[in-house]
Amino acid sequence: MTSPPTDTGGGAVESDADLSFDFGYAAPDAPPAPTDDDDPLLAGLTEPQREAVTHTEGPVIVVAGPGSGKTRVLTRRVAWLVAREGVAPWRILAITFTNKAADEMRERIAALLGDRDPTRGHSAAGVLVATFHSFCARMLRRYGPPERTPEFTIYDADDQKACMKRVIRARQLDPAQWKPRSVLGAISAAKNAMIDPEQFRSEAIGWRDRQIAELYAGYEEALRDYNALDFDDLLLYFVRLLESRPEVLAELRDRFRYVLVDEYQDTNRPQYRIANLLAGENGNLFVVGDPDQSIYRWRGADLRNILEFERDHPAAREIRLERNYRSSQAILRAAQHLIEHNEQRRPKTLHTENPPGEPLRWLRFRTDEEEAEAIAQEIEQRIEAGTRPSEIAVFYRANALSRRFEEALRKRWIRHVVIGSVPFWQRREVKDVLAFLRLLVNPDDTQALRRVFALTEGVGPATVRRLEELAASAGRSLLAVLLDPDAAARLRGRQRRAIAALRELFETLRALPPAPVRPVLETVLERTGYLEQLRGSDDPQEQARADNVAALLDGAAEFDEREPEGGIRGFLDRAALLSGTDEQAGDEEAVRLMTLHAAKGLEFDEVYIVGFDQRLLPLERDETGCDLEEERRLLYVGITRARHRVTLTSSLLRRTWGQERAAQPSRFLRELPDDVLERAGGAHAAVRGRCAPLTASPQEHDRWDGIDEPPEPPAARRRTRPNAGPVPNRARARLQALLAETRARTATAAEPAVGERVRHPVFGDGQVLRLQGSGPGRRAVIEFDRRGTKTLLLQYARLERLGS
DNA sequence: CTAGACTCATTTTTT
DNA sequence: ATGAGTCTAG
Ligand SMILES: Nc1ncnc2c1ncn2[C@@H]1O[C@H](COP(=O)(O)OP(=O)(O)OP(=O)(O)O)[C@@H](O)[C@H]1O
């Protein structure tokens, strides 16, 4: 940073720095130099930001903290290249982390270039903005991957799992010991490290690794048979394509003269290869990122990519952006203080001219239910006070935590959307219907065919086995056998009719043109009766499924309109590549709920980070430790999403996966500076108000000491808790009362008998149909008068007995 | 072949 | 709480 410290910039929201938040370094990014001020593409940019936009030739790396304008600079740079440097849009490749980010960036580029419609416009339309995965898929479709045809199918986690399950079973391994998920995890790690089955085998140490190597090879073989690629393969096979076909590499290098990568800190090795192959050593590779925001190491993200950029590109220009435009001083200071606890990190300066802002708040509740209620209530007040719902976000470590908050918000009629969790395109009903389309594109997609068989009445395991035998002996694909009228002739009765009907359906579908997509889907639904069957059910869950199928039809219609040439193939690619976080929130004006991971790159006025408990954030799974530094970065990302307000919440008791557990606040609480953290407020009122103090024995003292808060210096404690008595005592007392109450609640009435009427606080009155299981897992199946039949865990459901 | 009952494991984060 | 896998009866 060479710019002199002068004034405080010109943004509307900015105010003079408050001296009480002196970070101890001098130079903020310089304000815009007056000279180029009239260029709208540079308007409002600081000097280093301008340099990042206009320094167009050669490798450039921007390393900068949150909210410093990295994404903004990248977007402007694309516009600059097109509008000022006269670069043809199709020579530019911009890589984002999610498809949603790609969509947004495309729109912003279009807006900067003055296009009306980003999909049709002139200049912006040619810029390729995509994630690595969609970019690779696209290129592989165009040039054809090694060992596959361009019609290959993209396998998602479900397909992978089903496939691996078969590989494991074929080898007659103990399914209890060989879990598809964990084997696939090992394989994925290998793929991210660019290790193929052979190498894996040769490097395997020990019996288990050798078995995994064997499964890896089997899995690869299966995918080859199915003409399928998994997510990791998209990257890998593209690398192989580039390495094995110099003419393709040359063509693409020539085409993509400018390669830009956002969120570079979370790229993995194959992605790194791709970027470097495309750009060449001194090519125009522009990467932006923040090592402190790297949160995907578990997925193969490799910090070396960003840390060693300059070694890889000796000619690289490094640009630092050190001014944060997003957050208040309090938020920024808390985040900085937190992240400085990471030992493996290079120090970075970051300051803001934004107002000091309110301190962060830590609230603590007795139960997770109260936590959710209180947050919902507060959100309601904030909205009434004028905050836009879409400017409020609730973040949690794991999707499982969203439920209580959803319920609490729904109860108050607060508009909200859950981002991620169960991606639309991965829902069973959606995948069922899409299986038919997959087969039309790729007849070798046997996994899809199995799905179709499973859906077909009259075709069970025996029939499938019979067809498989026929296929194997004739050396043909399963679908070929199905489509062969002679094959059906070998079956009898119901099976024969079912197979014949399926064959006719496929013949009809094949006669349809590949675009538009919607009519194809409609034919599938009509002929299989799938939608009707769902609609015909009185199970509300099935109705929801039916709605999803209907939404799929709408999605197809929309796709047809937007990409008339896309066809089934394009539609399926979208389905495979879009993730949960990509789904645009249907309700623009709604509170957003999402995981901390999904929050990356976003910004909100007010942020609630819930489930701020030890064991939850840092998430600790039994035995398997956690990557503490990465967990800390995750919290850092969460906090730095906020412009004005950050609230962290913990609960004394948390009910997760069927069991109640005492919880402690996150250890990270201690790492937030006291002068910008408010802990006294509502939390203690919430907890204290309802528990009578008890006295307890010294043994219990030891047991419960520390449950209140992680240890901290007494001085700090006194300051933040005005009327603190003997703390361990209070903590102990509180917990005693709570646990007693919980015990009482669960132990209350003896269990209801079959046929007895009961009342549930949420579902209302109902009748016990049957009881099953024993011990803590004992369940009752209850038919509720209004809410249908549900199975409830007795220890968990607060049932009131009403008698027979 | 199907439907229903029952047991068991399962939950981190996602392109 | 939910889903997948297994077993049994029809
Ligand atoms: N020079 C500027 N003047 C005014 N606002 C700016 C400036 N630069 C960036 N901003 C604003 O700061 C916010 C953060 O920008 P951006 O999202 O590009 O940052 P980032 O570095 O990519 O953040 P993160 O790493 O946290 O995702 C945006 O609201 C952006 O509009």
Side-chain angles (χ1 to χ4, degrees):
Chain A
M1 219 54 27
T2 50
S3 25
T6 40
D7 68 34
T8 55
V13 237
E14 293 135 34
S15 78
D16 290 346
D18 183 317
L19 290 175
S20 64
F21 297 105
D22 183 2
F23 296 109
Y25 38 76
D29 297 351
T35 44
D36 281 326
D37 241 2
D38 38 344
D39 191 326
L41 287 184
L42 299 180
L45 297 185
T46 59
E47 194 45 43
Q49 287 181 327
R50 284 175 179 212
E51 188 187 356
V53 170
T54 59
H55 188 106
T56 55
E57 302 307 303
V60 178
I61 179 169
V62 177
V63 179
S68 56
K70 295 185 294 297
T71 305
R72 177 184 237 230
V73 153
L74 193 146
T75 310
R76 294 263 189 126
R77 183 178 167 97
V78 172
W80 178 267
L81 285 168
V82 174
R84 299 291 180 269
E85 300 284 330
V87 176
W90 49 268
R91 288 200 177 283
I92 301 172
L93 172 64
I95 300 287
T96 58
F97 194 71
T98 64
N99 294 290
K100 187 162 155 255
D103 289 344
E104 283 167 9
M105 184 168 295
R106 215 174 290 119
E107 273 168 36
R108 284 160 95 188
I109 293 168
L112 286 172
L113 292 175
D115 290 359
R116 285 266 174 75
D117 177 356
T119 55
R120 259 164 257 243
H122 339 277
S123 37
V127 179
L128 187 43
V129 188
T131 63
F132 270 110
H133 288 86
S134 9
F135 169 68
C136 291
R138 206 160 151 162
M139 293 299 114
L140 291 172
R141 291 250 182 259
R142 178 178 305 163
Y143 297 100
E147 301 175 54
R148 306 285 191 278
T149 75
E151 285 74 39
F152 69 88
T153 302
I154 301 170
Y155 271 19
D156 70 7
D158 267 4
D159 302 312
Q160 285 179 278
K161 204 171 137 206
C163 185
M164 180 52 74
K165 209 178 274 174
R166 292 183 61 80
V167 174
I168 290 171
R169 202 173 310 159
R171 264 142 258 249
Q172 311 195 316
L173 295 170
D174 176 10
Q177 211 184 345
W178 298 95
K179 307 242 159 76
R181 272 181 164 278
S182 73
V183 177
L184 283 167
I187 292 177
S188 178
K191 287 185 173 182
N192 284 327
M194 308 184 85
I195 293 170
D196 64 18
E198 251 111 295
Q199 195 185 343
F200 196 104
R201 195 194 313 271
S202 68
E203 285 173 13
I205 14 174
W207 155 90
R208 211 186 149 79
D209 269 3
R210 274 197 299 278
Q211 187 59 261
I212 290 177
E214 162 66 15
L215 292 170
Y216 184 6
Y219 171 73
E220 288 298 284
E221 196 184 330
L223 288 193
R224 199 158 40 235
D225 287 347
Y226 299 158
N227 193 18
L229 296 175
D230 65 25
F231 276 106
D232 298 323
D233 289 337
L234 292 176
L235 307 173
L236 247 34
Y237 278 67
F238 183 55
V239 171
R240 285 179 58 188
L241 174 77
L242 294 179
E243 285 176 341
S244 62
R245 290 172 60 188
E247 82 283 4
V248 175
L249 176 60
E251 184 181 326
L252 292 179
R253 260 193 192 170
D254 183 56
R255 171 175 168 183
F256 295 116
R257 292 286 172 76
Y258 295 88
V259 178
L260 303 89
V261 186
D262 198 5
E263 308 278 13
Y264 194 64
Q265 75 279 0
D266 275 322
T267 50
N268 61 23
R269 281 325 250 188
Q271 291 170 335
Y272 166 89
R273 279 292 285 149
I274 291 165
N276 285 294
L277 278 169
L278 287 177
E281 194 176 324
N282 287 316
N284 305 317
L285 178 59
F286 178 83
V287 303
V288 308
D290 177 4
D292 290 331
Q293 294 187 62
S294 173
I295 53 177
Y296 283 92
R297 213 166 80 157
W298 52 273
R299 206 177 77 183
D302 191 338
L303 271 179
R304 281 179 303 170
N305 294 353
I306 194 165
L307 296 179
E308 295 174 4
F309 186 87
E310 276 152 331
R311 199 204 60 194
D312 298 328
H313 305 271
R317 175 95 183 96
E318 180 177 353
I319 298 174
R320 296 179 172 274
L321 308 176
E322 303 188 324
R323 173 165 168 189
N324 172 298
Y325 284 90
R326 180 184 295 138
S327 310
S328 70
Q329 292 177 30
I331 290 169
L332 202 59
R333 175 162 148 63
Q336 287 277 107
H337 194 269
L338 171 78
I339 202 65
E340 275 160 17
H341 287 80
N342 272 1
E343 279 163 16
Q344 300 166 34
R345 114 173 242 280
R346 293 187 191 170
K348 215 161 46 248
T349 47
L350 192 63
H351 67 93
T352 185
E353 313 271 319
N354 289 342
E358 321 170 19
L360 287 72
R361 291 179 309 150
W362 175 58
L363 306 179
R364 188 175 199 195
F365 303 91
R366 304 199 316 166
T367 65
D368 45 7
E369 220 168 336
E370 286 178 13
E371 179 189 25
E373 285 299 320
I375 296 304
Q377 191 180 348
E378 182 174 318
I379 287 176
E380 187 171 41
Q381 287 165 3
R382 301 297 302 172
I383 292 172
E384 273 163 20
T387 307
R388 286 176 53 188
S390 57
E391 283 299 342
I392 300 176
V394 179
F395 301 153
Y396 32 80
R397 176 64 235 259
N399 281 308
L401 286 175
S402 72
R403 190 160 232 136
R404 296 216 180 289
F405 294 89
E406 285 176 71
E407 279 164 9
L409 290 167
R410 188 162 42 226
K411 219 165 77 184
R412 287 164 202 277
W413 299 94
I414 300 170
R415 293 158 76 177
H416 64 278
V417 282
V418 182
I419 313 282
S421 70
V422 201
F424 178 80
W425 298 100
Q426 262 159 256
R427 288 171 198 270
R428 198 182 60 194
E429 58 276 20
V430 174
K431 293 208 69 180
D432 280 348
V433 179
L434 291 184
F436 290 88
L437 305 207
R438 277 166 57 172
L439 276 168
L440 289 179
V441 176
N442 173 12
D444 296 316
D445 186 354
T446 307
Q447 217 51 258
L449 185 52
R450 281 187 232 283
R451 215 173 173 116
V452 168
F453 282 149
L455 290 171
T456 311
E457 294 256 305
V459 178
T463 315
V464 175
R465 211 170 314 124
R466 183 104 184 79
L467 290 170
E468 272 171 349
E469 280 161 18
L470 284 172
S473 64
R476 296 157 56 181
S477 79
L478 198 49
L479 185 71
V481 172
L482 168 71
L483 295 179
D484 182 351
D486 293 343
R490 303 236 203 149
L491 302 165
R492 30 201 89 262
R494 190 146 73 130
Q495 303 172 21
R496 185 174 182 164
R497 259 176 285 127
I499 291 295
L502 215 46
R503 191 186 70 226
E504 280 166 32
L505 171 56
F506 274 107
E507 275 161 3
T508 313
L509 292 175
R510 286 182 149 191
L512 294 171
V517 178
R518 185 165 203 234
V520 186
L521 277 179
E522 277 172 337
T523 311
V524 171
L525 294 177
E526 242 166 62
R527 297 281 293 267
T528 58
Y530 191 82
L531 186 54
E532 257 171 80
Q533 200 180 343
L534 291 176
R535 285 266 183 251
S537 158
D538 50 4
D539 182 346
Q541 213 174 24
E542 299 279 280
Q543 289 304 323
R545 294 219 160 100
D547 291 342
N548 286 330
V549 173
L552 180 62
L553 279 178
D554 292 342
E558 203 179 297
F559 177 81
D560 289 332
E561 204 171 303
R562 213 152 45 95
E563 275 179 64
E565 306 295 313
I568 298 175
R569 227 163 73 164
F571 189 63
L572 289 177
D573 277 354
R574 237 171 70 95
L577 292 165
L578 280 188
S579 73
T581 41
D582 293 324
E583 285 154 33
Q584 68 260 61
D587 189 349
E588 293 284 319
E589 275 311 316
V591 175
R592 267 112 237 255
L593 280 66
M594 68 190 85
T595 62
L596 285 159
H597 281 91
K600 174 157 104 153
L602 307 179
E603 60 186 15
F604 301 91
D605 284 343
E606 307 188 2
V607 160
Y608 295 86
I609 298 173
V610 302
F612 190 51
D613 298 1
Q614 187 61 16
R615 277 199 265 206
L616 212 47
L617 182 63
L619 186 78
E620 286 165 19
R621 283 225 288 159
D622 354 274
E623 294 121 49
T624 31
C626 64
D627 184 340
L628 191 63
E629 301 222 333
E630 178 143 317
E631 297 287 320
R632 194 177 278 118
R633 289 194 291 266
L634 198 50
L635 177 60
Y636 177 73
V637 167
I639 291 174
T640 55
R641 298 310 90 196
R643 294 195 191 91
H644 307 309
R645 292 178 102 227
V646 172
T647 307
L648 304 151
T649 64
S650 309
S651 165
L652 275 173
L653 281 182
R654 198 163 291 278
R655 278 189 297 206
T656 27
W657 40 105
Q659 295 261 309
E660 287 191 311
R661 277 242 215 68
Q664 299 182 30
S666 167
R667 57 178 291 168
F668 294 142
L669 185 62
R670 268 180 290 162
E671 303 180 1
L672 298 171
D674 278 317
D675 57 332
V676 287
L677 181 68
E678 159 101 36
R679 333 174 171 215
H684 288 280
V687 175
R688 213 187 302 122
R690 295 159 84 168
C691 297
L694 299 176
T695 40
S697 61
Q699 295 93 320
E700 279 164 323
H701 177 116
D702 284 348
R703 189 142 39 102
W704 300 121
D705 191 19
I707 200 130
D708 186 42
E709 279 174 35
E712 52 176 320
R717 183 169 283 184
R718 222 168 295 122
R719 193 176 58 221
T720 53
R721 314 157 106 257
N723 54 351
V727 172
N729 241 332
R730 280 223 344 249
R732 187 186 338 134
R734 206 179 293 154
L735 211 90
Q736 287 254 310
L738 252 157
L739 292 180
E741 189 190 303
T742 313
R743 242 175 271 126
R745 201 169 64 207
T746 42
T748 27
E751 72 175 42
V754 171
E756 193 172 332
R757 302 222 15 110
V758 291
R759 175 169 296 160
H760 185 277
V762 176
F763 300 133
D765 293 2
Q767 188 170 20
V768 178
L769 291 184
R770 90 202 128 68
L771 296 162
Q772 50 192 233
S774 61
R778 186 143 171 92
R779 282 164 295 190
V781 181
I782 300 166
E783 183 177 33
F784 288 103
D785 302 342
R786 299 160 149 225
R787 309 291 279 269
T789 306
K790 307 227 179 250
T791 305
L792 303 168
L793 280 169
L794 277 178
Q795 65 157 14
Y796 170 77
R798 278 170 285 168
L799 292 177
E800 190 185 336
R801 298 175 64 186
L802 300 175
S804 319

